[in-house]
Each structure stands twice: as C-alpha cells, then as structure tokens.
Amino acid sequence: MSTSLMYHAFGVRGYLYQRTEYVGGEIHLTVKQADRTLQCSACGSRKVIRRGGRERRFRGVPIGRRQVWIVLKVPRLECKTCGVVRQAEVSFAPGQHGYTKWFARYVVELARHMTM
C-alpha cells in the first residue's frame, strides 16, 4: 500500500505509510507523521523537538466486512518558541476521538440510507 492510497482511501494526509498487519480479522495500517508536518499545537511554530510519543489507534473506513485501524505513534513535541510540551495534533481525527474524519462521514452517509 502506498502513502497516496492512504490519502485517497482513508483521508490520511501528511503521514507516511509504514506497514499493514492482519490481526484477528482486522486490518491495522501503521503510519508515521512526517517530520515536515510537525508543529506546536499551542502556537503553531515549526521549531519543535520530538520528546517520545504514545501509540493510538483510530477506526478507519472498513474494507468489506473487515474493520480498519489506523495505528499512529502520536509524537510529544517540545516547542522551542513557547516552551510547551504537548502531543502533536492528529489532522485526520477530530479532537480526541478514536475515529477518523472519513469514518465519521461514512457513518453519516449510512444513516441517510437507514431508518433509526
């Protein structure tokens, strides 16, 4: 799978595709944030230093009947400008949610065709 397919199929932009794993009937797509896209979530400065990170999983649009998870080690960044240490914002997931923006669109589209 390519980085281009990650963007066009799952809406993941600014991240580099690393690998695919098949775990218990699920598809886990591991990505890494490109260094050129790192910026402080407080002031927006690009003068940042990586300080570790935490692995998070985001539910993506399913492929057939298989659940898709986007796995990302979200980097902690220290800003040289404002001195804050925070996790980087994840551009393809709204807020602190565990799903992608494209998955949310998928759910809304399904709701239009179904009765509540």
Side-chain angles (χ1 to χ4, degrees):
M1 182 175 294
S2 70
T3 301
S4 175
L5 183 59
M6 290 295 297
Y7 170 65
H8 292 289
F10 299 102
V12 177
R13 183 178 191 173
Y15 297 83
L16 306 171
Y17 169 77
Q18 291 189 307
R19 69 179 171 274
T20 301
E21 296 176 282
Y22 304 97
V23 181
E26 299 176 342
I27 301 170
H28 294 207
L29 303 170
T30 303
V31 296
K32 178 183 176 187
Q33 189 161 5
D35 288 337
R36 61 181 163 68
T37 64
L38 293 176
Q39 66 182 33
C40 177
S41 58
C43 69
S45 171
R46 294 204 181 271
K47 297 178 182 176
V48 293
I49 303 170
R50 285 183 184 255
R51 296 286 184 214
R54 189 184 104 178
E55 185 173 285
R56 290 186 59 194
R57 294 182 347 151
F58 302 91
R59 184 177 293 251
V61 178
I63 298 175
R65 294 183 351 196
R66 303 229 184 245
Q67 289 183 6
V68 173
W69 294 94
I70 311 288
V71 181
L72 169 67
K73 184 173 181 181
V74 180
R76 281 183 64 207
L77 303 173
E78 179 183 344
C79 180
K80 291 181 179 180
T81 305
C82 66
V84 173
V85 177
R86 290 188 180 177
Q87 279 191 347
E89 288 186 23
V90 180
S91 64
F92 61 85
Q96 295 294 319
H97 297 291
Y99 53 84
T100 65
K101 292 177 184 177
W102 284 41
F103 181 77
R105 279 193 203 164
Y106 172 72
V107 170
V108 168
E109 187 63 31
L110 283 178
R112 290 182 188 162
H113 301 288
M114 298 179 179
T115 60
M116 294 293 173

